[in-house]
Amino acid sequence: MGPPWSRIRSGFDAERAWRTRQLAEHGMRATLAGLIPGGRWHGTTLVLDCAKEAEVTLTGHGLVLLPSAVWDGPPLMAVHDDAPSVFIYPALTPLPLLGARDGEDHPLNALLGRTRAAALGLLTQQLTTTDIARELDISKSSASEHAKALRDARLIVTQREGKAVWHSCTPLGLDLLTGSA
């Protein structure tokens, strides 16, 4: 897996972590209404502001929420009679298809430093210190130092399983990545 896939996967993992946290803190109704701007409930009906009006009745087989890092249009819905329906919506932080232009920098780079901010971005999925070192093309000791600094700032949590040390974002780390802090 090369860098583009890694960025896609990190974006998807960040979105999933963010929505899971929203679900735990605010419940299903608020989570569903928050999938797109202007979402709200009218009784038992979820109303989403879209250019085209449509009424969708679910079939009782479940609903799969699928964030898209590359789609920024209105939500898309596929209703199935004998399977879960699928709701595709724009991800909270769309994937930048091109790298930063000359002179542009991610805001966290100034706060954390370029490498540490990149490490935090990777940790929307659980990775080992070795994984971080490989993804960022840095030494294991450097990856360990960055993980320690992020852990001390309560932006990640770390757990040991045998010889492996696994790291992942905390809710505060996710908030910083998504600009919600």
Side-chain angles (χ1 to χ4, degrees):
M1 287 194 303
W5 177 249
S6 167
R7 288 173 51 206
I8 291 169
R9 182 62 194 221
S10 289
F12 180 82
D13 289 339
E15 178 73 21
R16 185 179 58 194
W18 171 253
R19 296 299 174 183
T20 300
R21 181 173 174 210
Q22 291 300 103
L23 180 63
E25 290 180 1
H26 304 289
M28 182 64 73
R29 288 176 62 92
T31 300
L32 290 174
L35 291 176
I36 68 166
R40 62 197 175 284
W41 286 91
H42 185 265
T44 59
T45 302
L46 176 60
V47 179
L48 302 173
D49 293 334
C50 300
K52 184 178 174 186
E53 190 170 317
E55 187 170 314
V56 176
T57 303
L58 299 178
T59 60
H61 293 285
L63 178 65
V64 174
L65 301 177
L66 185 60
S68 174
V70 295
W71 173 254
D72 64 356
L76 304 171
M77 185 78 183
V79 178
H80 302 287
D81 291 332
D82 55 357
S85 297
V86 179
F87 183 78
I88 302 169
Y89 64 96
L92 188 62
T93 49
L95 176 70
L97 295 178
L98 302 172
R101 289 185 218 116
D102 291 340
E104 279 189 33
D105 226 352
H106 190 284
L108 284 181
N109 291 352
L111 180 65
L112 301 175
R114 185 176 306 270
T115 304
R116 198 159 290 155
L120 181 63
L122 288 173
L123 293 173
T124 57
Q125 60 183 323
Q126 194 175 42
L127 297 174
T128 65
T129 307
T130 302
D131 295 332
I132 296 168
R134 182 178 48 248
E135 289 291 327
L136 298 178
D137 196 26
I138 59 177
S139 69
K140 287 182 192 176
S141 62
S142 181
S144 180
E145 288 175 28
H146 287 301
K148 181 184 181 327
L150 292 169
R151 186 175 50 255
D152 289 348
R154 297 191 173 139
L155 300 178
I156 68 167
V157 291
T158 300
Q159 69 183 72
R160 180 176 293 278
E161 281 184 23
K163 292 184 179 185
V165 179
W166 293 91
H167 311 282
S168 59
C169 274
T170 64
L172 177 59
L174 290 171
D175 283 347
L176 277 176
L177 287 169
T178 60
S180 301

